[in-house]
Amino acid sequence: MSTTSTLLSPELLARLEKMELISRKIFRGRMKGERRSRRKGQSVEFADFRNYVPGDDLRFIDWNTYARLERLFLKLFLEEEDLHFYALIDASASMGFGDPTKLRYAQQLAAALGFIGLIRGDRVRIETLGQRGSAHSPVFRGRRNAWRMFEHAESIEPGEQTSLAAGVKNFCLRNSGKGIVVLLTDLMDKAGFEPGLRYLLAQQMDVYVVHILSTEELHPELTGDLRLVDCEDGDEAEVTVTGPLLKRYHQTLAAFLESARDFCTRRGMVYLAANNQVALETTITDYLARRGLVR
Amino acid sequence: MWPTWINMLGWWQWAILLAVPPAIISLYFLKLRRRPVEVPSTYLWSRTIEDLHVNTIWQRLRRNLLLLLQLILLAILILALLRPAWRGQKLIGHRFVFLIDNSASMNASDVAPNRLDDAKRRAAALVDNMASGDVGMVVSFADTARVEQMLTGDRAALRRAIESIRPTNRPTSMVEALKVASAQAAGRHAAQPADEKSEQIVPAETSPATAYILSDGKFAPVSDSSLGLLKPIFLPVGGESPSNAAILVFQTRPREKLENWLQAFAQIKNFGTQTIRADVTLRRDGNLIDAEDVSIGPGETQNVVFDVGEMDEGVLELAVGARDRLAVDNRGWVAVNPPRPAEVLLVTPGNEPLELALGTRSAAKLANVAVRPPTFLKTQEYAAAAAGVHDLVIFDRCRPETMPQSNTLFIGNVPTEPRWSLGERVDVPQIIDSDPSHPMMQWLALDDVLLWEGRAVNPGPGGSVLIDSDAGPMLAIAPRETFQDAAMGFLLVDVENGESVSRTNWPIRPSFPMFVLNTLTYLGGAVQERGGQSVRPGQPFAFEAAGPVGSVTVVGPDGRTMRPTVVRPGQYQISTTEQLGAYEVRVGGKPVSRFAINLFDPNESDLAPRPAISAGVEQVAGQSGWEAARREIWRPLLLAALAVLVVEWLVYNRRVGM
C-alpha cells in the first residue's frame, strides 16, 4: 500500500484492511437475493425463512426442509449490493474544540470507515453539513482512490454555519439512495438535534450517529466567575462555576446524552457516544464493531 | 423621641470605618468582572442555568443581594458603634421586693378591672424592666404576709408568682410584710454557710433592696417595723375618691324587756364624696324580712334598726344595695345561736350567800349550778368532772389535788399551781382599789364592803389583781393554759363552833349578786351573746362543741365542709375563715351553732387614695418607681447584625448551591 496519510496511521490501515462494512437492512421479499454476488468465494448470505406463496421463485425453496417437514419454505438472503457509504461530518465551529479536535476525530473516523468501504469495493462519499444543496462531493470507489479520499477528508475545515437540521436536510435531498450513513457530530444545536435526525429517519438508510464530545464538554475545567462565549453564535452565559454548579452541569450532560441515545434507539438508529480521548482504533474495532457497523 | 448618641471612635478611626463601604462596593464590582471563556457551545451551560433565569428581576436582585446585605451589616455595626440610646427609665437599685397588697380593699373596681389586677399588671411591668443580673422577690400581704417567690433573677418565675396572687377579704397590715421583706431581701440575716456541707461561712449580705409597695395604703401606720436596708417606694393603687358605702357594724340585741325579741342594729357609712342612696335589706335565713331606703351623705354614718322578732337561732344577712366600687363590704351577717347556760360546779361545805346569789333568776338563766361537798373531790366522779365537763368550778374553802380542765374560782384559797402563793391571815384588811376595767369587776361599787379577815392571794407573774387591799391582793386572776383561775383571799362565810358566821358584809351589798353574775358571764364563759360572734376574715375562730372528735364539722358560706382542728377535747378551732358569710358548726351532721365572718373594717372600706404611707419611721410618699436612664440599643443592634450575617451566609450558600 502506497497510500500515506496523516489522518490514519499505517498500523491502523493494516488493521482496517481486514474489516468490512455491514448493512443491517434486510430487504425482505422484494430483493430476494436476485443479484448474484460480485465477490467470489462469498456466497449469498442467508438471513431467514418464510412460507412459500404461489409465484415465488422455485429456486429459492429450501428442499432440504421440504424433505424433512413436507412443507415449502423460501430462503431469504441479505442484500448483497455494493454499499453506498456516506460519512456526514458536522464541520461547525464547535467541532474545532478539543485535542485532538472533535472535527479531526470525525475526519479520522470518516476516513477509516471510508477506507474499509473502499477496500471492500463500496461506494464512499464524505460530506459535511455545510455543503451547498447541489454541490456533490466526489464519490470514491476502489482502493486506489484511498489517498484522494483522505485528502478530501482532511480538507474539511471547521466554521460552517449551518444548523444540524438544515445540513441533514440538504444531505438527504442530495442523496436519496440506500446505504449506510454515519453522522459525525457533537449534536450541539440550540434548536435541538431531533429535527435533524428525523430527516435521516425518512431515508431508507442504515443510520449511525456518532456523538463526539471533547473533554472540555465532558469534564470542563472551569472555575470562578466566567462569561462563557459560544464560539458559534457568540451567545453569552454568565456563570459562577462552583462544585454544585458543576454537579448540575454533569447532570444536564448526562440527561443530554441519555436523551440522544434514547431518541436514536427508539427510532432504529445506532447511537454511539464517542470521546476524543479514546483511541480511534478502539472506537472502530471495539465500539462500532460491537454495534454492528463493521466486522 | 430622638435617640441620643455617644461617639465611640476618633476621627481617624471613623475615616477608616467609612472607607469600608466604598471598598466593599469596588471589590464587588471587581469581582463581578467575569472572565470571558470561549466554549464550544453554551447549549449545555444554558440548560444548566436555565432555571436560574426564570425570574430575571429576582436574579438581578440576587446578584446584588450579597452586596446589599454586606452594606446593611456594616451600617448596623456603625450604628452600634455610635451607641444610640433613648431616654428611658429603669428600676431603682438591683434588688427588689415587690410587695403586693391583696387585702379586701384591693377588690375595689375603681380601676379596671380591679385594684389588685392593676397592681399585678404594674408589678409585672416592673419585673419586665428588671435588668439582667437584678434579683427580685414577690410578697403578697393582707393582715399576714406571704412570700410568693423567693429572691431570684428568674423573671418568668417572678411573673408567675405575681400572676398567682389571689384577692382576699382580709384587712391590711404592713408590719409582717415589711419584716419579711427586710429579712429576706435586704440581707439583714446573719452569716450562713454557703451550702449545707461546707463549713465555710459566707459573709452576710449587706446589699440594700428596694421595696416596691403596690397598695392602696389602707392600713394602720406601721410604727415598729424596722425597715433596715429596705428602701420603700410606695406606688399607690386606686382611682380618685371612689364611691363606697360600707357596713361597719351589724349586731343584734334583745329588745328591752322582751328577752326573745331581737333587734338588728347596723351602722352604714358612706366613704365617697357623693350622696349614696341605697336600699338596705335584711334577710333571715335567706328570706327577706325587712328593707329600708337610706340616703347617706358623703362621709356620713347612718344607723339602721330593724325589728327581727322572736328568733332563737339562724342567720341574719344585711345587704346594702348600693352600686359602689367595693362589693365585699356591702353585706354583713349575724349568726344567732340558741342560748346555752354555763355548767357550774360549786364545791362547798355550805355557803348560803353564794348559793342564794347563784339561785337568782338572772343567774339561773346564765348557769346550771351543781353543788357538791368537799369530799366529792376524792371521788372518781370528780376525776371525770375535772376532764372538762364544767365551764366553771368554784372551790369554797377546799382545794383539789389536780386542777380541773375548766375555769376556776377559789374562795379562801389559791389554785394548786406553783405560781400562786397565799399570804398570812390579816385582820380587817382595807379594800384600797379594784380594777373596774376587768369584765369581772364591771359596775361594782366596793366602797361599802368590809372584810373581817383575809389572806393575800398573789397570782405571780402574768396574773392581775382585781381587788387590792392594804394587806395585799384580795382577789386576783391568772391564766392557766387556756383557762382562767381566780382566787379570793377572804371567806364569805365560815363555820365557827358549828355555826355559820359571816366573814364579810359583801353578800348583803348590792354589788355581790352583780359580781356573781359577772363571774358567771366571764369565767362561766357561757353566755354567748345571742347575736353570736363576728370574726374578721382570716382570723382563727375557736368554739366549743360536744361530741366525738370526728363528728364535728364546719360548713362554710359556699357549702364547703371543713374539719376544724382540735385544741383539746371539746374545743375546736377553724382557720379557713377567708370567706365572708355565716359558718355553721355541725356535730354529726346537725347544726349546733353558727358564727359569722364580716369585714367591718373602716380602713378597708375607705377607698380614698392615700398619697403616702408611713413605713417604719419614714413617711413614704407615693412616687414614681423609675429613674431616668439611657436605654441603649447596641445589644439588639449587634444581634441584628448577627442575623444579617447569617442571612448573608445562607444567601451565599444558596447561590453557590444553584
Side-chain angles (χ1 to χ4, degrees), chain B residues 113-317:
Chain B
N114 59 44
R115 287 183 176 184
L116 179 62
D117 283 349
D118 187 48
K120 279 157 75 172
R121 184 182 57 71
R122 286 167 63 180
L126 290 172
V127 167
D128 286 339
N129 278 285
M130 276 168 64
S132 57
D134 289 358
V135 290
M137 71 184 284
V138 178
V139 177
S140 69
F141 70 95
D143 54 346
T144 57
R146 188 183 136 110
V147 177
E148 304 279 350
Q149 173 63 50
M150 291 300 290
L151 211 57
T152 178
D154 182 355
R155 277 181 270 180
L158 290 171
R159 271 193 292 272
R160 270 199 304 278
I162 288 169
E163 198 44 52
S164 71
I165 295 173
R166 296 277 161 263
T168 67
N169 291 323
R170 294 166 177 245
T172 319
S173 165
M174 273 293 291
V175 181
E176 197 181 327
L178 284 177
K179 272 183 185 160
V180 166
S182 74
Q184 296 284 340
R188 283 179 64 78
H189 37 201
Q192 54 190 352
D195 57 73
E196 285 167 14
K197 284 173 193 165
S198 84
E199 293 295 313
Q200 199 182 353
I201 302 292
V202 173
E205 295 184 69
T206 52
S207 42
T210 312
Y212 284 98
I213 303 167
L214 289 125
S215 169
D216 48 10
K218 292 296 168 291
F219 43 83
V222 181
S223 55
D224 59 342
S225 169
S226 167
L227 286 166
L229 293 165
L230 219 51
K231 183 175 183 301
I233 290 176
F234 176 49
L235 304 174
V237 177
E240 290 291 313
S241 49
S243 70
N244 187 34
I247 302 173
L248 291 187
V249 178
F250 181 43
Q251 293 174 341
T252 54
R253 60 186 177 202
R255 196 164 161 184
E256 283 170 54
K257 293 179 183 164
L258 281 169
E259 286 298 328
N260 282 333
W261 196 274
L262 282 185
Q263 272 187 326
F265 167 78
Q267 204 175 60
I268 301 162
K269 182 168 180 181
N270 178 4
F271 288 95
T273 50
Q274 276 160 7
T275 304
I276 284 183
R277 296 183 63 83
D279 57 327
V280 181
T281 54
L282 181 69
R283 289 168 190 274
R284 175 176 169 177
D285 295 327
N287 303 316
L288 181 70
I289 56 169
D290 207 349
E292 192 176 325
D293 270 334
V294 293
S295 172
I296 315 169
E300 282 180 10
T301 306
Q302 177 109 14
N303 293 334
V304 187
V305 181
F306 292 106
D307 262 328
V308 178
E310 286 193 15
M311 183 172 181
D312 271 343
E313 55 184 317
V315 176
L316 291 175
E317 182 190 339

Side-chain angles (χ1 to χ4, degrees), chain A:
Chain A
M1 225 187 88
S2 59
T3 312
T4 54
S5 167
T6 51
L7 274 179
L8 304 170
S9 66
E11 293 78 21
L12 181 60
L13 288 175
R15 186 122 192 243
L16 295 176
E17 276 190 51
K18 300 184 185 103
M19 309 184 86
E20 62 173 325
L21 295 170
I22 305 165
S23 168
R24 290 177 309 139
K25 297 273 187 196
I26 301 164
F27 301 96
R28 294 183 186 201
R30 195 162 62 82
M31 299 298 289
K32 285 183 292 193
E34 282 167 344
R35 288 169 42 241
R36 284 181 302 173
S37 165
R38 264 189 285 272
R39 289 189 281 273
K40 292 198 171 60
Q42 291 194 339
S43 64
V44 175
E45 209 168 326
F46 172 76
D48 203 353
F49 291 106
R50 76 165 168 81
N51 284 330
Y52 170 78
V53 291
D56 278 344
D57 194 336
L58 296 180
R59 288 177 296 174
F60 296 105
I61 289 174
D62 190 338
W63 298 109
N64 291 331
T65 316
Y66 176 70
R68 204 160 58 239
L69 302 171
E70 292 193 344
R71 289 182 64 184
L72 290 170
F73 286 99
L74 218 61
K75 285 194 275 187
L76 299 178
F77 294 92
L78 290 182
E79 184 186 20
E80 281 286 334
E81 217 179 1
D82 59 336
L83 270 172
H84 282 268
F85 174 80
Y86 304 97
L88 182 55
I89 296 175
D90 175 2
S92 61
S94 68
M95 291 292 283
F97 279 82
D99 182 29
T101 62
K102 290 187 277 182
L103 181 65
R104 172 92 181 157
Y105 199 75
Q107 286 166 334
Q108 285 176 323
L109 261 179
L113 293 171
F115 181 70
I116 295 172
L118 291 184
I119 295 289
R120 296 297 173 203
D122 295 327
R123 293 162 183 269
V124 175
R125 181 173 272 181
I126 294 177
E127 298 200 343
T128 64
L129 288 177
Q131 242 165 275
R132 290 272 147 234
S134 55
H136 281 271
S137 61
V139 176
F140 303 99
R141 191 167 183 177
R143 182 178 192 138
R144 63 181 178 282
N145 286 320
W147 68 274
R148 278 180 52 218
M149 185 193 69
F150 291 153
E151 263 185 3
H152 174 70
E154 214 162 2
S155 69
I156 297 170
E157 292 292 328
E160 291 180 351
Q161 294 287 336
T162 316
S163 75
L164 185 64
V168 171
K169 187 179 172 189
N170 285 335
F171 168 80
C172 292
L173 289 174
R174 283 196 304 268
N175 305 287
S176 55
K178 303 174 191 71
I180 300 173
V181 58
V182 177
L183 175 61
L184 298 152
T185 177
D186 54 6
L187 292 181
M188 294 287 186
D189 193 306
K190 296 237 164 66
F193 55 83
E194 292 90 350
L197 294 187
R198 275 201 197 94
Y199 282 115
L200 279 180
L201 267 183
Q203 300 295 102
Q204 290 213 325
M205 287 192 183
D206 224 356
V207 182
Y208 287 79
V209 177
V210 181
H211 189 183
I212 304 170
L213 291 174
S214 64
T215 315
E216 283 85 348
E217 287 146 339
L218 290 171
H219 306 288
E221 286 179 355
L222 302 171
T223 45
D225 290 314
L226 299 175
R227 196 169 74 243
L228 302 180
V229 184
D230 193 312
C231 66
E232 290 182 15
D233 54 10
D235 179 41
E236 291 184 355
E238 291 190 348
V239 291
T240 303
V241 183
T242 54
L245 186 81
L246 278 180
K247 203 173 149 198
R248 231 184 136 77
Y249 174 81
H250 281 125
Q251 287 170 356
T252 312
L253 178 67
F256 174 58
L257 291 176
E258 186 56 39
S259 71
R261 182 196 313 281
D262 193 51
F263 183 86
C264 294
T265 323
R266 277 169 187 274
R267 289 162 179 80
M269 294 185 268
V270 176
Y271 172 87
L272 171 69
N275 179 347
N276 66 347
Q277 296 305 304
V278 176
L280 193 64
E281 191 177 346
T282 315
T283 308
I284 296 169
T285 60
D286 190 355
Y287 297 154
L288 284 176
R290 216 186 294 163
R291 280 165 178 78
L293 177 63
V294 294
R295 168 167 79 181

Side-chain angles (χ1 to χ4, degrees), chain B residues 541-561:
Chain B
F541 177 70
F543 59 93
E544 292 179 4
V549 168
S551 66
V552 178
T553 55
V554 174
V555 179
D558 54 354
R560 205 155 53 92
T561 303

Side-chain angles (χ1 to χ4, degrees), chain B residues 351 353 397 411 425-429 449-454 489-497 499-507:
Chain B
N351 191 333
R397 288 162 287 162
I411 298 174
R425 174 191 290 247
V426 182
D427 283 332
V428 197
V449 174
L450 298 172
L451 309 177
W452 306 151
E453 60 173 45
F490 54 93
L491 302 178
L492 298 173
V493 290
D494 202 1
V495 180
E496 208 167 81
N497 307 323
E499 278 182 36
S500 182
V501 287
S502 290
R503 289 298 184 210
T504 170
N505 67 347
W506 198 20

